Each structure stands twice: as structure tokens, then as C-alpha cells.
Amino acid sequence: MRWLNHFLLALFTAFLGIVLSPVLAKPPVVYSVIQNLTEQGEWEKQASKENREQTNAESPIFHFRLLQLPQTPPSPTLYSLLPLKSGRSQTESVVEQGKILYDMGQFTKAVKVLQQAAAAFRASRDGLREAMTLSNLCLAYQQLGLWAEAEKAIAQSLKLLQSRENTGTSGEHSQIIAQALDVQGQLQLTQGQTQAALTTWQKAADIYQQIGDRARLTRNRINSAQALQALGLYLQANKILNDVQQTLTSLPDSLLVATGLRSLGNVRRVIGDLTVSRLVLGKSLAVAKRVQSPKAIAEAQLSLGNTALAQQDTEAALQYYQQAATVSVSSITRIQAHLNLLSLLLEKKEDKDALALSSQIQSEISNLPASRTSVYIRIKFAQTLAQLKKKTTSDTFSSLDIAQQLSNAIKQAENLQDQRAESYAIGTLGELYEKTGQFSDAQHLTEKALFMAQSINASDIAYQWQWQLGRILKKKGDIKGAIASYNVAYKTLQTLRSDLVATNPDVQFSFRENVEPVYRELVELLLRSAEGSASFRDASLPEAEVLNVATATLGDAALTLSPQQNINQDNLKQARDVIESLQLAELDNFFRSACLNPTQELDPVVDKKDQRAAVIYPIILPDRLDVILKLPNQDLRHYKTVIAQNNVENIIAELRKNLLDVTATFRVQQQSQQIYDWLIRPASAELAKSGIKTLVFVLDGELQNIPMAVLYDKQQKKYLVEKYAIALTPGLQLLDPKPLRQIQLNALTAGVSVQRPVEGREFPELQNVPQELKEIKSEVSKSEELLNQQFTETNLQNKLQTVPFSVVHLATHGEFSSDAEKTFILTWDKLIKVKEFDNLLRVSDKNRSNGIELLVLSACQTAEGDKRAALGLAGIAIRAGVRSTLATLWSIDDRSTIDVMSEFYRQLNARVNKAEALQRAQLAVFAKEKAPYFWAPYVLVGNWL
């Protein structure tokens, strides 16, 4: 956990211990590309030349990928010196000057001034004030990524404070020690020492508590809560945040309370509690209005706009941004509000208003004083102008105007000696050159930006330039270099896994744009490379010579079977690993914490434990659907279908819609047979030859929203469930799998059968639930039941704490969503959110080696219109800590649910594995009811043994 306090402390994500990329072995020459910006003719001439030279160049009409740029949160405040009894000294005035420079974002100048002040205090033997100045110096060093210097400064500060010569009065000495400990905790966190940071902050909190410093105690507790959240300790973090909120709301109105509530609301947004975030920020705004602080009002409105945007409440976000811009007395806050407003106007295609606002912003930016914040604002404005240029026909802003904004940002960053900001600006200019087809200059600038990011160990920036360099090299035809660069970007992202979730306030809203493409583009390169270098060429060789393929026409898609003897196994294995990492990253992003650590790889399971199982990995790419097949004790197989991603997703969406229509069986067969032909038919001979009985799917993207059981073989006129037992796993790894047949069934069943209004929602009656639970009890003699009023969170926890149940069966409403806050199950009086499952179901693990083997959710559904809703199912399956989860993709209050569930348990009692038990239960219903609506929604996630 390296920069958990990114948002509150604005350390702008710099890191330690990152090895220099092999792609960039030495500092590049300082190129003079920027100087070309002064002449429009030279720009166009150079672009035209390189577009002619590069056969695979993109159109000069460009569109920026929005970089993972901070939204310029305030830097951590430097601590003020305790006043001297004799009045302010000259050295104290120097410290105040350093504080002003720091607040302005001029960190290099602030460091120099603070160094002078520390030396002066040392000379005058004023140890207390030297210690405070060194703590502040540590914060300034952190802003510049000077970690060794930061460590030395805080170590000196604490050493001085421990000296008997520097005791001061008891109160002031304690306060200074607590402040130094706060700073040390921040530094420890940036270095990945999360537990150490929490311990240090607790020491500081104890001191603040003793001396009654409620303001700093509040900030300290917010820091600790965010650290706990990133560790996956959601309930502990939530308790602290609730305590902080209660404390703040109990205080009389003040600017401090308004600021504290705003910080708390922003943290709630970071960790995904959007409803609470908006509520708390609303309270911050109310307090700010009552204390009549225009600055606090505008900042609260800006934060409210950001939360509303995260909730996809565009109209409210627009209003908040407009209000913040109108009220703000700070030019920085006003421009930030205007930039956010401009992005929304472009999204809403209100081009006329967007053009007018962009001209206003351009005028406002020109008057900003030099600071890191103003550099970031210029970069964001340049990115937004690029979007504006792409989406409108107006020639108000040219490519040169955009480049000039970046040029000014680079010059400001150079003058500030701010390498982090300079790296952002130069790399963004490199992207501009990439989009205009000037690949040589784009490469030079990107390499320079990358070297600067690596020199300050800023991995969060470095991965973006490694990715950008990979794209450029690919466009230049250097596939080997492109793969190398993508690999480094991927590995960098792996080191940042915990940092890309619960810490950065922007990342969770741009995961699809800034993180996921790195994984998918690398997979595409690896798979094409696995087929042979010819797959990168357009048509230089006949297709038969290139791949020696068999091709079949499937509608508008061409299915291609690669020659297995020529497949690069290393590339296939890496492609599979990268897709697994992407799925884990998606779940990390879903939970806002990186706490998912599966323990058992799938390959040994199918090679040793179940040699009649095969694992299928579909991978959806922009122009093709690839499939990797793992058979027991054999090399990986690979096949693909050439088809556009939107065509794949449209067929899946239509199938999903028709599955909910009892009368649409024929259409379901038509659509599902296409997916069968993509995923199964090319491997059917190999599956039969290997005697496969169980198919385990690691599904990608929207394929997760449909049950594989319904895939239809039009030649044999059979659904997949008629031929194979089926299971899903959200990644290539499992919790340690054990056959359920080796464990005595002992079930806790619970459900809600009557109509219930809970938390503002009305949940309809599930009239078949009592009979479902009754029939389960007849199949599982050792079982206990919680029905309706008995089914509360407290009762469920009490049961799980006292009895070692192997199965928990919940027959109640539930919903899976791509938003963790909207993924829940219904109890009698509460919606239990997915983040609470960890605490809810793992309680039985505390004193026992065997946890819950199977969780059954028999009346759940995926959120309507949510293309990634199955993330919620995978999230529940993992968060619950159980080895297997059986759930429904849509809810059926029908006799068929009772039949599936009772037969499932009957088969488990007969010592059949879970996947086969589900298969037989579905086929039992299929024998009586052919419509997939009744038998298809059930999916087994996790361990199928």
C-alpha cells in the first residue's frame, strides 16, 4: 500500500523501489521537439511527412486518452510554528514564506526556504522549532518524490523531539510529537508500510486525544480509515468514518467542521460509498453557507459535483459545477469547476456552450500564477480541447493551440523544477504527436517523460508512458519492442495493484479507459505473436501460408483454427495470466481494495484432481474473439473468430433479453448456437477425445451475463448442459478446492417469502420460498432454518458463530451489479451489501479450520441494463470466502426453483460433485419444461469438485 493517502495528503502518487525499465536503459537526449510548435507550417509539414512514411499511421485527427491526472486536490497543510513569547522571529517569518510557497505549489522553492529555516533554528539551538520545520520539510520532499531526503528529515525531527533538551511545555511538546508522527505515518504509507503507518497514526491519535486536539485527531482518523479500507478491512474503516462524522456533526458550525465534512465526503466517494458521500458533502455545504465562507461553499459544491458525476447524475453535477464556478473566490476552484463543466457539455453534445466556455477557460488560465496545480490544469485543458476538436467541426482551436497549452505547461514545470508535473506535460505532448502520426517525435517525448517519472519512482505516471511507448512502437511496426514496453507497463500496474483502487479519487471512474486497455492490448499482441509474426502483416502472404487454417463462415464472422504445432506456448500462457490479472483488477476496482488472494491455480486441479475437466478462456478483443483451451496434462490450445466486438456484445445482449421470455426458446437457440460455434465447436473433437465431462469457464466481459448451460449445438440439437457439467470461476485461480462429498452436509437455510418494504424499495412476495426451504430440510437432515422475521443479520451471524455449517442457502431477493453499493441480498429488515459479506459469513472461520463450502443464492438477479452486472456475482462469491457459490442470473418464483434445489441437494447427498449435481438438477427440470427460462439461470462459481 504505497500511496493510500493520495487524496487527503496529495502526495501525487510517487513510489519507491521501481527498477528502471529495460525499454529505457539510459536517459534520452533532450529533444528539441517542443521548439517546432512555434511554426504552424512546420507542424503540418512534419505530420504530413511522417504520415506518408508510416503505412500504419492513424489519422491526424486525434483523440486523447485521458491520462490518469490528479484533480489537483490540496497538498497536505504544513504545520504552523508555535509562537514565541517574545513575538515572531525572523526565522519564523522565513518558515511562513516557505509555507506560502508550498501552498502555491512551488515545492522546490519551499524546500530551499525550509532548509534555510531549519539551519537557522539549529544554529540558535531551538530544537522544537527545528523539529517542526524538518517535519514540514519532509512533506515538501514527498511532494517532489525525494524519498531518501524525506526519510532523513523526519528521522531527524523525531530524534530532536526525543532529546531531553527539547521538551518545551508538556502540551506543545506533545502536539509537535503527534504532528511528526502524522508525517512519519504518511511517509510509511507511501513506502508500502501500511501496518507501520497505522501503528504510527494510532500513537499520534492517542496524543491528540490526550491534549484535546480534535481537529488534528479528525484528520488522523480519516487517514487511518482510508488505510484500513485499502487493506480490505471495510467494516473497521466504516466504523472510524462513522465516528468521525458523528464527532464533526456534534461540533458547533465552523470553517473547520465544513472542511472536515468535505474531506470525509470525498473519502466516502473514493471508497465507493457514493450515497453517504453526497449526504456528508451536503452537510459540509450547509455548514459552509451558515458560516458564510464563499471559498468553503465553492469547494463543497465542486466535491458534490464530482460525487454526482460518479453516481451518473449528470444534471446535478452540471448544476453543482455551475454553482461552484459562480460562487468561488478562488481562480483555481473556478477553473476546475469550469473544466469539469466543459467535459460534461461535450458529453451532452452541447457544442455551442462548450466552445464558449472553452474560450473563457483559456482566458482564465492565462492569468494563473505558476504552480503544480496550474500545470495540471493546462494539461487537462489541452486534453479537453482535443476532445472538443474531435467532436465538433469548429476550427476555434487548432492542433497548435493544444500543443501551445502543453508547451506552456512544460515551461512552467521546468521553472518550478517539478519533475512530476513536467513528466505529465511532456508525456501528454508525446501523445499529441502520436495522434497526429509523428511517431518519431512522439517516441522521443514519451521516452523523456518516462525517464523523468522513473527518476522520481513515480510508477503511476510511468505505466502510462510505458503503455504509450508500446502503442507507438506497435504503430512503427516494432512488435517485439511494443510487447516489451507493454510488458513493463503491465508489471508496473501489478506493483500498483493496491494503489489503483481505494486510494485515488479518479481511478475508479476511469478504470475502463486508463487501466483495462493496457491488459487487453497486451493480450492482443501476445495472441497475434503466438500465431506467428505473419499475423501482424496485412496480406503479404496468402492466408493459407500464414496460418494454415481451417475457416468456416458463421454469419458475418470467420472462425480460424490456428495450427497448434506452431503456437507459442509461452505467449499463450502469458496472455492467459494477463487476462486473469485483469479480472482481479476489475474485482479490486469493484471493492475499492486489493484483498483478493486466491491460493490454488487451475492447471494443477485439472491435471491432477479432476482429469475429466477442461478450462475455457474466451477473450473479447476489438476485432476478434479468441479462446484458449486447457485440457488435462496437455499444451494450451488456441482458436479465434474474426468478428467485431460490438457484434459479439449485441448477440449476447439479445440472447440475454430473450432468455427472460418464456416464449422465445427458438430465438434463444438461434443466438446461443452462434456463441456455441465460437466457444465450443472448434474444440469439440478434442473434448471428446480427452473424455471431458466438466467445462470450467473463465468468462470475459459481457459473456458473464449469460449462462453457458444454454449454448446450443444445432447439429446434435442439444444444449451444452445436456453434454457437460458446467462451472465458472472469476479468475484462473481458486480457493483451495476440496470435494464436497468428503464433507458432511450441514445446512443453514434462510429466506424472505412475503412482500417487504426495505430501505426505500418494495420487494415482492416469493410465495415458493417456504416450500423450497422445507424440501431442502427433507434432503439435508442436519439443517436449521431462519424464515421471514427470524431472518435478520444478527440471527444469521449468531447461527454461524455457534454451528460449523458447510452450506448456507439464502432464498431471498438479491441483486448483482457492477456497483458494489448496489449489490446486496435482502434480509427481513435490511439490505446486506456485498462488502459486508466478508464479516457476515467468515465469522465461522475464526475458531475453525473448515469454513463454509457452499453458498446458495436461489432468488437473485443481475441488475437490469448493467452490462457488467456479473461483477457483483463474482464479488459476492469471493467476498463471502466460500469455496463455491450457486446463484441465479434471474429470479424465478416458480415450482421449477424448488425442483432444481431439492434435486441438487439430493445429488450432493449421493456424493456427486457440485458441477454434476447442478447438471442433473437442471436436466431434471429440463425433462419437464423445455423453456430455458426455467432451468438455465443457475450458475456455479468457484470450486466445482
Side-chain angles (χ1 to χ4, degrees), residues 322-339:
Q322 288 169 338
Q323 291 168 2
T326 302
V327 171
S328 177
V329 294
S330 162
S331 58
I332 292 290
T333 303
R334 182 168 58 253
I335 294 173
Q336 287 176 325
H338 275 155
L339 282 171

Side-chain angles (χ1 to χ4, degrees), residues 490-520:
Y490 161 67
K491 290 175 182 176
T492 303
L493 277 174
Q494 292 302 95
T495 69
L496 299 179
R497 180 183 163 200
S498 60
D499 303 317
L500 290 174
V501 287
T503 54
N504 189 328
D506 305 323
V507 170
Q508 59 262 34
F509 309 132
S510 60
F511 179 87
R512 303 290 166 213
E513 187 173 346
N514 294 93
V515 177
E516 182 176 355
V518 181
Y519 292 84
R520 292 199 177 278

Side-chain angles (χ1 to χ4, degrees), residues 68-83:
Q68 199 46 57
L69 200 63
Q71 287 197 354
T72 58
S75 305
T77 305
L78 294 189
Y79 295 109
S80 298
L81 296 178
L82 297 176

Side-chain angles (χ1 to χ4, degrees), residues 345-356:
L345 291 174
L346 286 174
E347 185 180 312
K348 290 168 63 68
K349 299 182 179 180
E350 296 180 13
D351 298 345
K352 185 177 179 181
D353 290 340
L355 284 167

Side-chain angles (χ1 to χ4, degrees), residues 79-100 113-114 116-118 120-121 124 126 129-130 132-133 136:
Y79 295 109
S80 298
L81 296 178
L82 297 176
L84 292 168
K85 293 180 180 179
S86 58
R88 180 178 292 255
S89 70
Q90 183 176 355
T91 308
E92 284 185 297
S93 299
V94 172
V95 173
E96 195 60 33
Q97 180 188 352
K99 187 175 185 298
I100 292 170
V113 170
L114 290 171
Q116 293 171 7
F121 284 129
S124 64
D126 189 343
R129 283 167 181 75
E130 182 188 354
M132 290 193 69
T133 305
N136 285 338

Side-chain angles (χ1 to χ4, degrees), residues 792-818:
T792 64
E793 182 180 20
T794 300
N795 288 344
L796 184 63
Q797 283 185 317
N798 289 339
K799 288 288 186 183
L800 291 171
Q801 286 171 339
T802 55
V803 180
F805 293 103
S806 57
V807 178
V808 174
H809 184 112
L810 306 179
T812 182
H813 287 287
E815 190 163 285
F816 308 128
S817 166
S818 59

